[in-house]
Amino acid sequence: MLNTITNVFTSTTSEISSLLSDITAATGTVSVSSMLFALILGVVMGFLISLVYVLTHRKSGYTQSYVLTLLMLPPIVAIVLVMINSMASALSLAGVFTLCRYRTVPGDPKDITYVFFAMATGVICGINGGGHVWFVFVFFAIIAAVLILVEVFRYGICKTSSMTLKVTIPENLNYIGLFDDILAQNTTSWHLKRIKTTNFGSLFELIYSIQLKNDVDQKKFMDEIRKRNGNLTVILSLYRYEDQVYDK
């Protein structure tokens, strides 16, 4: 067992040493002009990608930190690949990068697409940017056009919104089927997720998971429910924020 561990450790150490020696040897042949060109090209492409992100997220909102991330990813990836100056070493380094996870606040999965977009652009700038500058801009133009057209024509937008409805009712009010007709008119589906008593048992809290139609007037929808629950609390929240519904 000890011999096996020793052999694995020795093999891993030799592979790392070989990789580092390849990188060291390769970086010595890279000109300063190539590094500067890749760095400037990466910054330009990062700025364009971040601009596309800002334009396509004007309504949904965005954070400055994420925009800066998209701006800096292409030049960072490009300069690393230029300094390695070896496809085999680049792939080995990519294998090391897979050990790391890109951590961010849980949000729209579409944002991950922009991260891969920025990284792929950086790879092109670093490997082929010097001899094929036109391909970098063609790649950017095609992907950016697709992202913008998807946003403009709202391709793939669902006709309903996954939401959580919290309704407070008096303890003497029978909640079975009480809001079924209102829910049937304004949603495509719903189910009662949770029931609990509150305020020392004088009130009930009903929590529904609903698919609300996007063309529904939410104020009118809530007003109809308030007419039946004695004008008590009604909370309507997006599904991804449903944890806030359970706050005391």
Side-chain angles (χ1 to χ4, degrees), residues 163-167 175 177-192 206-213 216 221 224-225 228 236:
M163 307 193 77
T164 299
L165 175 66
K166 174 182 174 182
V167 183
Y175 59 82
L178 180 62
F179 306 107
D180 285 4
D181 57 331
I182 300 176
L183 294 173
Q185 182 180 359
N186 296 278
T187 69
T188 58
S189 63
W190 79 92
H191 70 271
L192 186 59
L206 312 179
I207 298 179
Y208 293 88
S209 176
I210 65 175
Q211 290 291 329
L212 187 68
K213 300 176 182 177
V216 167
F221 172 61
E224 292 179 356
I225 295 177
R228 300 192 184 181
L236 185 65

Side-chain angles (χ1 to χ4, degrees), residues 12 104 107 130 151-152 204:
T12 304
T104 183
E151 185 68 22
V152 171
F204 278 93

Side-chain angles (χ1 to χ4, degrees), residues 101-146:
R101 295 180 57 189
Y102 185 83
R103 297 184 181 273
T104 183
V105 178
D108 193 346
K110 184 172 59 176
D111 291 345
I112 302 177
T113 302
Y114 282 88
V115 173
F116 284 115
F117 183 20
M119 294 185 67
T121 303
V123 170
I124 298 174
C125 292
I127 295 179
N128 295 322
H132 307 283
V133 179
W134 61 269
F135 181 71
V136 178
F137 288 96
V138 169
F139 173 76
F140 166 79
I142 294 176
I143 302 300
V146 171

Side-chain angles (χ1 to χ4, degrees), residues 5-240:
I5 296 176
T6 303
N7 292 334
V8 171
F9 178 77
T10 304
S11 176
T12 304
T13 304
S14 61
E15 291 178 359
I16 295 176
S17 300
S18 176
L19 173 60
L20 292 177
S21 61
D22 291 342
I23 293 175
T24 303
T27 53
T29 62
V30 178
S31 63
V32 176
S33 60
S34 299
M35 291 189 291
L36 289 177
F37 181 82
L39 184 61
I40 295 174
L41 183 61
V43 170
V44 172
M45 300 310 298
F47 173 76
L48 294 177
I49 293 173
S50 63
L51 183 60
V52 172
Y53 180 82
V54 170
L55 292 176
T56 56
H57 287 73
R58 287 178 298 178
K59 295 182 179 179
S60 59
Y62 54 87
T63 61
Q64 185 185 25
S65 61
Y66 194 82
V67 175
L68 293 178
T69 299
L70 297 179
L71 174 62
M72 297 308 299
L73 268 177
I76 292 173
V77 174
I79 196 64
V80 170
L81 293 181
V82 168
M83 293 187 68
I84 290 176
N85 197 25
S86 170
M87 181 65 71
S89 299
L91 294 177
S92 300
L93 185 62
V96 175
F97 283 161
T98 58
L99 299 177
C100 304
R101 295 180 57 189
Y102 185 83
R103 297 184 181 273
T104 183
V105 178
D108 193 346
K110 184 172 59 176
D111 291 345
I112 302 177
T113 302
Y114 282 88
V115 173
F116 284 115
F117 183 20
M119 294 185 67
T121 303
V123 170
I124 298 174
C125 292
I127 295 179
N128 295 322
H132 307 283
V133 179
W134 61 269
F135 181 71
V136 178
F137 288 96
V138 169
F139 173 76
F140 166 79
I142 294 176
I143 302 300
V146 171
L147 293 173
I148 293 175
L149 290 175
V150 166
E151 185 68 22
V152 171
F153 293 101
R154 302 183 67 81
Y155 174 76
I157 296 296
C158 186
K159 296 183 178 179
T160 62
S161 299
S162 299
M163 307 193 77
T164 299
L165 175 66
K166 174 182 174 182
V167 183
T168 303
I169 62 173
E171 64 171 342
N172 58 353
L173 188 63
N174 186 6
Y175 59 82
I176 302 298
L178 180 62
F179 306 107
D180 285 4
D181 57 331
I182 300 176
L183 294 173
Q185 182 180 359
N186 296 278
T187 69
T188 58
S189 63
W190 79 92
H191 70 271
L192 186 59
K193 294 176 58 178
R194 180 180 177 187
I195 306 169
K196 75 170 186 177
T197 60
T198 185
N199 198 25
F200 300 101
S202 61
L203 299 173
F204 278 93
E205 287 184 352
L206 312 179
I207 298 179
Y208 293 88
S209 176
I210 65 175
Q211 290 291 329
L212 187 68
K213 300 176 182 177
N214 289 338
D215 57 351
V216 167
D217 186 336
Q218 295 184 4
K219 182 181 183 305
K220 183 179 179 181
F221 172 61
M222 296 178 69
D223 287 342
E224 292 179 356
I225 295 177
R226 289 169 55 202
K227 292 178 182 178
R228 300 192 184 181
N229 76 332
N231 201 27
L232 295 176
T233 302
V234 178
I235 300 176
L236 185 65
S237 61
L238 288 174
Y239 180 76
R240 58 178 174 175

